[in-house]
Amino acid sequence: MKTTEDNWLYTISSKHKLIDLNLKEIWRYKDLLFLFVKRDIVTVYKQTILGPLWFLIQPLFTSVIFTLVFNNLGQIQTGDIPPFLFNLAGITAWNYFKECLTGTSGTFTKNQNIFGKVYFPRVIMPMSVTISNLLKFGIQIGIFTGFYLFYYFQGSGVNININIVLFPIYVLLMALLGLGFGMIISSMTTKYRDLTILVGFGVQLLMYLSAVPYPVSEAKLKFPEWVVPIVVYNPLTQIIEGFRFMLLDSGTFSWTSFGYTTLISVVIFLLGLIIFNRTEKSFIDTV
Amino acid sequence: MSVILRAENISKQYRLGLVGTGTISHDLNRWWHKVRGKDDPFLKIGEVNDRSTKGESDYVWALKDINFEVKRGEVLGVIGKNGAGKSTLLKILSRVTSPTTGEIKTKGRIASLLEVGTGFHPEMTGRENIYLNGAILGMTKAEIRSKIDEIIDFSGCERYIDTPVKRYSSGMTVRLAFAVAAHLEPDILVVDEVLAVGDAEFQKKAIGKMQDISKGDGRTVLFVSHNMGSLQRICTRALLLENGELVYEGSVENTIEKYIKHGERNSKTLINNDLNLPLCVTGAELISDSKGVIDVEDDIKFKITYKVNKADCENSIAIRLVRNGTILFTDFVKINDEYCLDKQLGSFQVISKNFPKRLLKSGSYSVDIHVGIIKKQVIQRVDGVLDFDVELSSKHGYNSSFSKDRPGVIGVNIDWDLML
């Protein structure tokens, strides 16, 4: 009877579609995304003396320790590449993934205060974490470049590979994987917190299975046979290995494994997005 | 006016108790029903959400089959006791959580002001927080930039605007937050209890702003508060929720009256006859010309019976008239001099002489009696000792200032002379 009354803008209902992304709405909130990124960057150094220097200290110290333990003590071979540079490259890449994963895996539990009061597309929150981590990653890549040039002019066998053009794609893959896993974990921890405990040490263990402190060739040589596929088919291994290949020209690269990694990352990301979207509707009741 | 929001059969179920290994069996059961394409088995077992009584089931309905419509430009109040479901309703409206069943359709964008200061970062300055908070509430950067001066001015925090918010007093934080929210331009604004904070000046400003929003700009406001005064001033219509159900919908005056009456039923106090008190009231009565319903034109007399148990008592009896939670006046009878003849002990009665006619508007009233020494001590206190209704019968066509729907707590007829 009232035809004009049926032009509802939107409906709040108990039923949802499987994929309810609403990109238009995310676009409407793009300013919020950048303000969150700005907030994360601006507030992280507040009331510290060394400020952003902390971003450099952590990978440098880790690399030194890794070099001491794995290369000096453990006799892991890194070919022509200085072990320190090898470790620094791996750790820089790994750190970005790890920060994205841990930063987003608590999205629902950490933000329940704000999520419980106002609505905005929840996915803005993990996206902003991923973007603000880029800055940290950039600083760490900067310090890596410094050491790289140092070793380069010393003539110690490091060469840039043509694959360097893939650099942005590798960063994107790491972001997608970290964000995807993070969203899955954050959705699954809204009701039962068990996974939070797993993430704490799981990420640490995952690093050792992702060829961070060693090249894949060494793993194939020295690991027990049943472990080798875990390392090789781990998408993160391929990312780390490919990352080192393009920066240092060490290790292996194949388009097949690159394609495989890309596929896995996109699938994980989409899966994360779907689960996240389903959870955001009423997680506040169970969190 | 067109309907801007329609709620159809909104229900929300919550599970009480702890989340632990016990809940996973329910979750698995629910999942298994879903896999087989059956209904959620736990939706059938919910109980009415009554906070104070112990129930059988772990599942309660915080909201049950709520239906209402809001028209464009309306200011709708939501009234109810704690736990009646007001906040749950607002949470669903502001899309923080989704209903268990039913749906809400809206033609406008909803922005909520559930609790101010949400998303303020203590390390960031006031100005930075205006941008951040505005964006969280759904404004774009350009919108905020065009209004930033207005927002700062409204908040009255100009001097502190470039200082981190952690240095602000709590009142200043609220001012800033409300200033941001007040400059939002949603089609529907949802407000919950914000006016409880802030000083008197700011509360006045906030209420004024909310009136502007609805009257000036024709936007719709949904307002939840326990403050009957501000509800009366702002709202045009109200809903009354009780135990998750919509029990009344109508004009603010009527809804508040229903709400107050519902509250009273639960707290009936009887006059006790305590001989240890030096002075105690043992009865109160209302005497009027007409029996039953009192008319605006009627003479009203209060009769109070009291007992003096101790000579030389310095006590007074205070009588307080209350309308919808608002105290209209307090009057005293000082017992020590002329009313306590010859300083005798025993029972006495006083009756009121000059209660003005044409003062009480139509509505429900109640009388509280306090006994004690003025400004020092209360020894006996009986709230709601008398309840009575005043009505405006249609025969007095002369004045509607006594009608229930007129704003104001009392009715006064000022006679006007034409100046020549």
Side-chain angles (χ1 to χ4, degrees):
Chain A
M1 49 177 189
K2 299 171 196 163
T3 42
T4 50
E5 285 219 346
D6 293 329
N7 308 321
W8 302 105
L9 185 67
Y10 59 86
T11 304
I12 304 165
S13 150
S14 51
K15 301 175 196 74
H16 328 289
K17 285 175 277 177
L18 180 63
I19 305 172
D20 188 10
L21 259 186
N22 211 344
L23 288 171
K24 219 170 113 191
E25 196 171 53
I26 296 176
W27 180 248
R28 225 172 58 79
Y29 277 89
K30 61 184 184 303
D31 286 338
L32 179 63
L33 178 65
F34 292 116
L35 283 163
F36 274 142
V37 172
K38 193 183 153 200
R39 179 194 69 178
D40 289 347
I41 292 170
V42 169
T43 55
V44 81
Y45 318 115
K46 285 277 163 78
Q47 298 204 349
T48 63
I49 298 165
L50 293 182
L53 276 182
W54 283 110
F55 287 168
L56 305 182
I57 293 167
Q58 192 260 346
L60 288 181
F61 279 35
T62 319
S63 299
V64 169
I65 297 294
F66 273 23
T67 310
L68 288 175
V69 175
F70 296 105
N71 306 103
N72 296 4
L73 207 64
Q75 298 288 319
I76 289 175
Q77 300 304 314
T78 55
D80 295 338
I81 314 298
F84 175 75
L85 200 61
F86 178 90
N87 285 329
L88 191 60
I91 285 165
T92 307
W94 174 258
N95 264 351
Y96 180 60
F97 166 77
K98 189 192 81 180
E99 296 285 338
C100 290
L101 174 65
T102 50
T104 53
S105 67
T107 305
F108 285 125
T109 39
K110 267 188 266 167
N111 296 301
Q112 48 175 305
N113 256 328
I114 181 165
F115 283 180
K117 278 160 202 150
V118 270
Y119 173 81
F120 52 86
R122 306 309 194 203
V123 77
I124 296 273
M125 212 51 139
M127 275 166 75
S128 78
V129 172
T130 315
I131 294 174
S132 55
N133 277 332
L134 268 181
L135 177 91
K136 198 166 163 182
F137 178 67
I139 295 174
Q140 292 178 349
I141 279 291
I143 194 77
F144 172 82
T145 313
F147 278 99
Y148 177 83
L149 291 175
F150 172 77
Y151 282 111
Y152 183 76
F153 286 116
Q154 283 211 325
S156 43
V158 287
N159 282 307
I160 281 202
N161 191 285
I162 182 67
N163 276 351
I164 193 80
V165 295
L166 292 179
F167 181 79
I169 296 178
Y170 273 115
V171 177
L172 182 70
L173 288 184
M174 286 187 286
L176 288 183
L177 260 184
L179 189 59
F181 276 125
M183 287 193 297
I184 293 173
I185 293 166
S186 115
S187 307
M188 293 173 85
T189 46
T190 54
K191 192 155 185 186
Y192 301 104
R193 298 284 154 79
D194 306 54
L195 264 180
T196 337
I197 303 160
L198 180 72
V199 169
F201 70 93
V203 170
Q204 193 76 19
L205 296 184
L206 187 62
M207 181 181 78
Y208 293 105
L209 287 179
S210 307
V212 175
Y214 54 84
V216 175
S217 52
E218 286 279 295
K220 279 179 178 160
L221 220 60
K222 293 176 182 169
F223 275 171
E225 229 166 80
W226 61 274
V227 183
V228 175
I230 301 179
V231 175
V232 172
Y233 290 109
N234 179 347
L236 284 158
T237 307
Q238 299 303 330
I239 291 180
I240 303 283
E241 185 81 356
F243 195 76
R244 276 193 303 243
F245 179 75
M246 67 182 188
L247 291 179
L248 305 169
D249 203 10
S250 89
T252 50
F253 176 85
S254 78
W255 287 103
T256 338
S257 55
F258 180 75
Y260 162 79
T261 313
T262 312
L263 183 74
I264 293 279
S265 307
V266 171
V267 167
I268 294 282
F269 174 72
L270 288 178
L271 192 68
L273 212 53
I274 291 168
I275 297 179
F276 191 89
N277 257 293
R278 287 185 67 83
T279 313
E280 71 169 25
K281 298 286 193 289
S282 57
F283 85 98
I284 203 74
D285 304 334
T286 52
V287 74
Chain B
M1 272 190 294
S2 66
V3 174
I4 192 166
L5 184 140
R6 178 181 293 150
E8 288 164 359
N9 293 317
I10 292 294
S11 297
K12 178 79 186 171
Q13 192 187 48
Y14 280 116
R15 189 185 191 285
L16 304 179
L18 295 171
V19 173
T21 41
T23 48
I24 201 153
S25 68
H26 282 198
D27 285 350
L28 291 174
N29 195 344
R30 187 177 283 137
W31 174 78
W32 179 233
H33 276 77
K34 208 170 161 188
V35 167
R36 291 181 296 163
K38 295 193 174 174
D39 283 345
D40 188 338
F42 297 105
L43 283 185
K44 291 173 193 151
I45 59 173
E47 285 184 342
V48 167
N49 182 21
D50 189 345
R51 157 169 56 83
S52 50
T53 54
K54 190 170 163 42
E56 298 282 310
S57 166
D58 268 351
Y59 292 87
V60 291
W61 291 101
L63 287 176
K64 186 87 178 135
D65 297 330
I66 306 284
N67 289 288
F68 64 92
E69 279 185 353
V70 188
K71 295 195 175 70
R72 199 177 288 274
E74 202 169 34
V75 183
L76 185 72
V78 182
I79 307 173
K81 285 187 285 187
N82 289 339
K86 306 182 296 287
S87 298
T88 308
L89 180 62
L90 292 200
K91 269 187 183 168
I92 292 172
L93 282 171
S94 50
R95 292 209 277 169
V96 162
T97 183
S98 56
T100 312
T101 65
E103 57 183 23
I104 292 174
K105 292 174 179 167
T106 162
K107 277 187 202 157
R109 221 159 265 295
I110 304 177
S112 61
L113 204 57
L114 290 190
E115 210 173 290
V116 285
T118 309
F120 268 24
H121 196 290
E123 299 284 355
M124 286 166 51
T125 68
R127 193 185 298 275
E128 286 168 331
N129 268 311
I130 291 179
Y131 278 101
L132 183 64
N133 198 236
I136 288 175
L137 295 171
M139 283 195 264
T140 65
K141 223 169 167 175
E143 271 171 25
I144 306 167
R145 199 177 299 122
S146 67
K147 284 182 191 162
I148 185 110
D149 293 330
E150 226 178 302
I151 293 174
I152 296 173
D153 189 50
F154 186 84
S155 73
C157 299
E158 177 123 42
R159 169 167 278 244
Y160 280 79
I161 207 67
D162 291 311
T163 304
V165 162
K166 62 178 175 181
R167 309 270 175 246
Y168 281 35
S169 77
S170 50
M172 273 160 60
T173 320
V174 171
R175 278 166 162 262
L176 192 66
F178 188 83
V180 179
H183 289 82
L184 273 173
E185 285 182 352
D187 306 301
I188 304 168
L189 182 68
V190 175
V191 186
D192 190 3
E193 301 277 359
V194 270
L195 303 177
V197 273
D199 51 26
E201 173 225 336
F202 187 70
Q203 284 191 19
K204 213 168 136 191
K205 222 165 155 181
I207 289 182
K209 184 74 193 178
M210 282 173 54
Q211 278 168 332
D212 287 352
I213 286 176
S214 64
K215 294 209 179 93
D217 313 344
R219 270 175 284 148
T220 314
V221 181
L222 268 91
F223 183 46
V224 168
S225 176
H226 287 292
N227 185 337
M228 298 302 144
S230 40
L231 276 164
Q232 260 165 335
R233 254 184 290 168
I234 302 174
C235 299
T236 47
R237 213 158 59 86
L239 308 176
L240 175 61
L241 293 180
E242 199 180 330
N243 295 333
E245 282 163 54
L246 183 65
V247 291
Y248 189 80
E249 184 181 354
S251 75
V252 197
E253 284 289 323
N254 288 332
T255 315
I256 290 177
E257 197 180 297
K258 281 264 173 1
Y259 169 64
I260 302 284
K261 276 191 175 166
H262 274 289
E264 270 171 5
R265 208 185 298 137
N266 296 342
S267 56
K268 200 84 193 166
T269 356
L270 294 166
I271 289 191
N272 64 329
N273 194 352
D274 189 348
L275 288 173
N276 297 324
L277 295 175
L279 171 74
C280 78
V281 171
T282 53
E285 223 180 305
L286 182 80
I287 301 164
S288 71
D289 303 342
S290 53
K291 293 291 164 213
V293 179
I294 297 159
D295 191 81
V296 170
E297 286 280 300
D298 284 351
D299 249 332
I300 299 174
K301 285 194 170 80
F302 296 107
K303 191 167 91 181
I304 299 170
T305 315
Y306 61 94
K307 208 166 176 191
V308 180
N309 296 322
K310 194 181 145 215
D312 304 322
C313 72
E314 291 264 302
N315 289 300
S316 305
I317 298 170
I319 173 168
R320 198 158 86 172
L321 192 63
V322 183
R323 176 177 199 273
N324 292 348
T326 312
I327 300 168
L328 297 185
F329 65 79
T330 312
D331 191 33
F332 303 94
V333 192
K334 222 170 176 188
I335 300 301
N336 60 348
D337 31 80
E338 68 252 51
Y339 300 105
C340 186
L341 302 162
D342 305 328
K343 301 201 166 162
Q344 280 178 342
L345 304 184
S347 265
F348 301 92
Q349 282 186 328
V350 281
I351 190 156
S352 66
K353 265 195 304 207
N354 291 322
F355 193 85
K357 276 187 193 179
R358 290 203 213 163
L359 173 76
L360 303 183
K361 302 196 328 172
S362 65
S364 301
Y365 295 84
S366 72
V367 176
D368 300 344
I369 285 180
H370 295 187
V371 178
I373 301 166
I374 297 171
K375 285 185 182 167
K376 273 189 187 154
Q377 181 192 23
V378 178
I379 56 172
Q380 188 192 15
R381 175 176 184 154
V382 196
D383 286 343
V385 61
L386 283 174
D387 285 325
F388 63 95
D389 289 331
V390 173
E391 271 184 18
L392 176 68
S393 51
S394 50
K395 63 185 177 205
H396 325 289
Y398 58 85
N399 210 319
S400 64
S401 30
F402 293 93
S403 127
K404 196 183 278 176
D405 301 326
R406 271 296 153 107
V409 282
I410 54 167
V412 172
N413 239 164
I414 312 171
D415 286 330
W416 300 90
D417 273 337
L418 182 65
M419 285 186 59
L420 296 171

